[in-house]
Amino acid sequence: NAGVTQTPKFQVLKTGQSMTLQCAQDMNHEYMSWYRQDPGMGLRLIHYSVGAGITDQGEVPNGYNVSRSTTEDFPLRLLSAAPSQTSVYFCASSGRGTGGFEAFFGQGTRLTVV
Amino acid sequence: GEDVEQSLFLSVREGDSSVINCTYTDSSSTYLYWYKQEPGAGLQLLTYIFSNMDMKQDQRLTVLLNKKDKHLSLRIADTQTGDSAIYFCAESLYNFNKFYFGSGTKLNVKP
């Protein structure tokens, strides 16, 4: 997917460990967000940002922190991993495109918490 | 959050047309999107429509929007086995920074 890079692609954590999922975009978009995808539930919004220095909570923010120090980067931190956080995480970047308002997603991070 | 609903499965034969349906609840939706997700992959933006439009066509894809009924559909003409994937409908509201997704429709294309 054009312009949104997520790392790592796979991660296994032990309960209680912390980690940071990285997300970077090169489209100069104002808006970035994090979603988690669980089977049969579509994507649910964790946190989002409308610009550098501004973040807010989505539907399922508990257990996650974010910060946006630059327009390009929007890392997601798991403070103390729990098995309920086993999921696929997607970062999105959105803004005005040539045809309207577009949103692009990264390739996802598959996280397993054991 | 907003409710976006889709049927879970659709099975068609190669060469037929596929129609994937979606309903949404928020009348202030600004853009409505269709994404494709292949196994183990991310979400690929297929097409989107502004809420003041009725229809948008892009090669084999046709999006129809019925604002009165809050119904969105994606028609894939001449469906191919490579179209087998999960298709997500999503809406964004006036502030653009939140997207609400349906649970996805798994399209199975039989040869």
Side-chain angles (χ1 to χ4, degrees), chain A:
Chain A
N1 291 311
V4 181
T5 304
Q6 274 185 249
T7 56
K9 289 195 170 132
F10 301 94
Q11 183 71 50
V12 179
L13 288 179
K14 292 183 179 177
T15 298
Q17 285 185 312
S18 62
M19 80 160 292
T20 300
L21 280 64
Q22 302 292 343
C23 177
Q25 54 99 0
D26 60 4
M27 297 172 282
N28 202 31
H29 283 163
E30 295 173 77
Y31 306 115
M32 295 184 76
S33 46
W34 277 100
Y35 294 82
R36 59 179 287 173
Q37 183 181 27
D38 300 298
M41 298 188 74
L43 277 74
R44 292 183 293 167
L45 181 64
I46 304 172
H47 284 285
Y48 64 95
S49 169
V50 300
I54 307 169
T55 64
D56 206 346
Q57 297 180 349
E59 290 178 77
V60 288
N62 293 340
Y64 307 95
N65 272 0
V66 291
S67 59
R68 185 110 178 259
S69 55
T70 66
T71 301
E72 295 78 20
D73 299 298
F74 191 43
L76 176 74
R77 294 184 192 84
L78 279 71
L79 308 171
S80 177
S84 60
Q85 293 178 304
T86 293
S87 188
V88 182
Y89 292 84
F90 289 100
C91 175
S93 172
S94 45
R96 291 280 175 195
T98 53
F101 192 81
E102 300 171 334
F104 296 99
F105 286 78
Q107 288 296 304
T109 297
R110 292 182 178 274
L111 176 67
T112 302
V113 182
V114 297

Side-chain angles (χ1 to χ4, degrees), chain B residues 19 45 59 69 78 95:
Chain B
V19 180
L45 176 62
Q59 298 181 337
D69 295 338
D78 187 24
N95 53 10

Side-chain angles (χ1 to χ4, degrees), chain A residues 1 35 37 50 101-103, chain B residues 33 35 37 43 48 97 99:
Chain A
N1 291 311
Y35 294 82
Q37 183 181 27
V50 300
F101 192 81
E102 300 171 334
Chain B
Y33 300 81
Y35 286 89
Q37 186 179 38
L43 277 76
Y48 58 96
N97 52 39
F99 288 76

